[in-house]
Amino acid sequence: MKASETSHYSTMSQEELVSISKCLLLAIRKSDSVQTPTDSIDEKDERGLSVDVMEEQQKRLQHDVTLKSLQQLSENGKKAFWINIYNSFLQLRLRDHYRQQQQQQQQQNEGDASTTTSSAIPSSFYTTRNIPIGGRLFSLDDVEHGILRKYRWKYLYGYLPHLLMVWCSPIPKLAVQSLDCRIHFALNCGAKSCPPIAYYSAEKIDIQLDQATRTFLKQETVVAYTTQEIRISKIFFWYYGDFGGKRGIYELLEKYCLLDSSVHGGETCPNSTSEHDKTAAAGVTRDFRLVYKAFSWEQTTANYAFSPDDTSSSQSSQV
């Protein structure tokens, strides 16, 4: 049997698979660093090297990774691998989209009136299957709603399964066993109001998702005491069912020190030793009305929670 055939039939370890997804994301991050006229030769070489690494990892995903290996990932392995994959290919596809826009704009400037440009991201951007992994093509929607949300439909607040994903694809075998609502604070769709991008490891993902959730909620949640309102991200509205409805949202806010649980017999901010957190949460109860903030769809690329020089596998302090 040839070496190429061996790699096709052999399975990769979880560590190898997650490492590929992390290396791809790190390479994209490095290649996204802004070029300046004062860049040294070494900096330019490093940026060029990151492009080579990026292309190599994509080839490995396409030719070396097998669906069988992906099916054998643990629950934490699936979350880490597919979150990294989603954020990586979102950035790559946005690059392609903007490159096409620039070409169309250039044609307009040269007098081709038949060419028009639009700054909006079309819905097909998320549904087109152009992510090659394990001999199959996946879309961004396949990864987010099929695998990470366990084949839930992206409409109707997350309460209904997407039956076509169940019946007509390998997604059920690749999907997580149970939906973890914290993934919504780890996935970046390219909009300004999305959470920043971090890279995730299977062995640390529970801590990392906790940190990502806590950071996003504290940045995006506003308490209006005079009107007794808690203004939260529109993400909670779109995926209401993923969070367990109104009760689940309140419980999440209590867990991450944005709501006072002592009125229900618990301890204010039980998951933090910070007196600041406890003081901030005190008096904010479930009597406060939930209000969903406007979501900015302004396209924002390269929104990372880590620097291009960070090659550490630990992300818990930087998510």
Side-chain angles (χ1 to χ4, degrees):
M1 184 177 292
K2 297 179 181 179
S4 59
E5 293 175 338
T6 303
S7 65
H8 177 76
Y9 290 104
S10 62
T11 59
M12 284 187 177
S13 68
Q14 175 166 288
E15 183 179 1
E16 289 177 297
L17 289 167
V18 177
S19 176
I20 291 173
S21 70
K22 285 168 54 181
C23 286
L24 174 60
L25 186 54
L26 282 167
I28 294 170
R29 174 67 181 100
K30 284 182 178 292
S31 67
D32 267 335
S33 55
V34 178
Q35 298 188 38
T36 66
T38 58
D39 280 353
S40 68
I41 294 177
D42 287 342
E43 287 172 325
K44 293 178 180 179
D45 287 345
E46 184 177 2
R47 192 175 291 110
L49 180 61
S50 69
V51 174
D52 294 339
V53 173
M54 189 170 60
E55 293 175 352
E56 175 62 26
Q57 300 311 314
Q58 289 184 77
K59 289 179 182 178
R60 294 190 69 191
L61 285 169
Q62 183 173 2
H63 300 297
D64 297 342
V65 172
T66 65
L67 293 182
K68 182 179 180 181
S69 296
L70 296 175
Q71 291 171 16
Q72 294 175 351
L73 287 171
S74 69
E75 190 78 346
N76 285 348
K78 289 178 180 179
K79 285 188 279 191
F81 177 84
W82 289 108
I83 289 173
N84 291 338
I85 289 296
Y86 182 94
N87 288 332
S88 294
F89 280 94
L90 187 284
Q91 293 299 305
L92 292 174
R93 297 301 170 249
L94 277 179
R95 288 182 184 182
D96 295 338
H97 175 74
Y98 291 140
R99 191 178 298 114
Q100 291 172 0
Q101 280 190 318
Q102 290 173 350
Q103 292 172 350
Q104 291 172 354
Q105 186 63 51
Q106 185 177 5
Q107 290 175 353
Q108 275 188 312
N109 295 339
E110 293 173 355
D112 186 351
S114 64
T115 303
T116 59
T117 60
S118 170
S119 60
I121 298 292
S123 59
S124 60
F125 179 85
Y126 299 97
T127 59
T128 301
R129 290 193 167 98
N130 54 12
I131 302 175
I133 298 177
R136 299 293 293 258
L137 291 175
F138 297 88
S139 68
L140 291 167
D141 272 4
D142 288 337
V143 177
E144 179 181 6
H145 306 297
I147 297 173
L148 289 169
R149 294 185 59 236
K150 197 179 180 181
Y151 36 91
R152 309 298 293 177
W153 205 21
K154 63 180 177 181
Y155 303 112
L156 295 178
Y157 315 109
Y159 281 106
L160 294 179
H162 195 311
L163 296 181
L164 288 179
M165 286 186 175
V166 176
W167 295 333
C168 306
S169 75
I171 285 177
K173 293 183 179 179
L174 301 175
V176 295
Q177 292 299 309
S178 60
L179 194 160
D180 185 338
C181 68
R182 297 175 301 172
I183 65 165
H184 291 297
F185 310 115
L187 298 175
N188 180 286
C189 71
K192 186 176 181 179
S193 290
C194 282
I197 298 170
Y199 61 92
Y200 292 85
S201 305
E203 65 273 12
K204 296 180 180 292
I205 194 166
D206 192 55
I207 296 172
Q208 293 168 338
L209 286 177
D210 260 346
Q211 184 62 38
T213 302
R214 181 177 292 105
T215 300
F216 183 78
L217 291 182
K218 287 188 176 182
Q219 290 176 346
E220 292 294 319
T221 306
V222 177
V223 176
Y225 290 91
T226 55
T227 56
Q228 290 201 322
E229 293 176 345
I230 305 174
R231 298 167 188 165
I232 57 178
S233 170
K234 198 68 173 285
I235 292 173
F236 285 102
F237 175 76
W238 293 320
Y239 302 108
Y240 195 71
D242 290 10
F243 292 103
K246 184 176 181 180
R247 178 177 178 178
I249 294 173
Y250 279 130
E251 289 176 349
L252 194 71
L253 294 174
E254 287 176 350
K255 178 180 179 181
Y256 292 102
C257 305
L258 295 164
L259 211 62
D260 188 349
S261 57
S262 63
V263 295
H264 301 290
E267 177 188 350
T268 300
C269 202
N271 296 303
S272 175
T273 58
S274 168
E275 290 302 321
H276 177 270
D277 286 345
K278 294 179 181 180
T279 301
V284 185
T285 71
R286 298 190 188 190
D287 293 329
F288 280 49
R289 186 166 63 97
L290 297 176
V291 177
Y292 303 102
K293 296 165 59 179
F295 193 89
S296 173
W297 286 103
E298 178 185 343
Q299 294 304 307
T300 305
T301 59
N303 178 17
Y304 296 100
F306 60 98
S307 73
D309 297 321
D310 179 18
T311 57
S312 170
S313 62
S314 173
Q315 188 77 358
S316 60
S317 62
Q318 302 171 20
V319 177

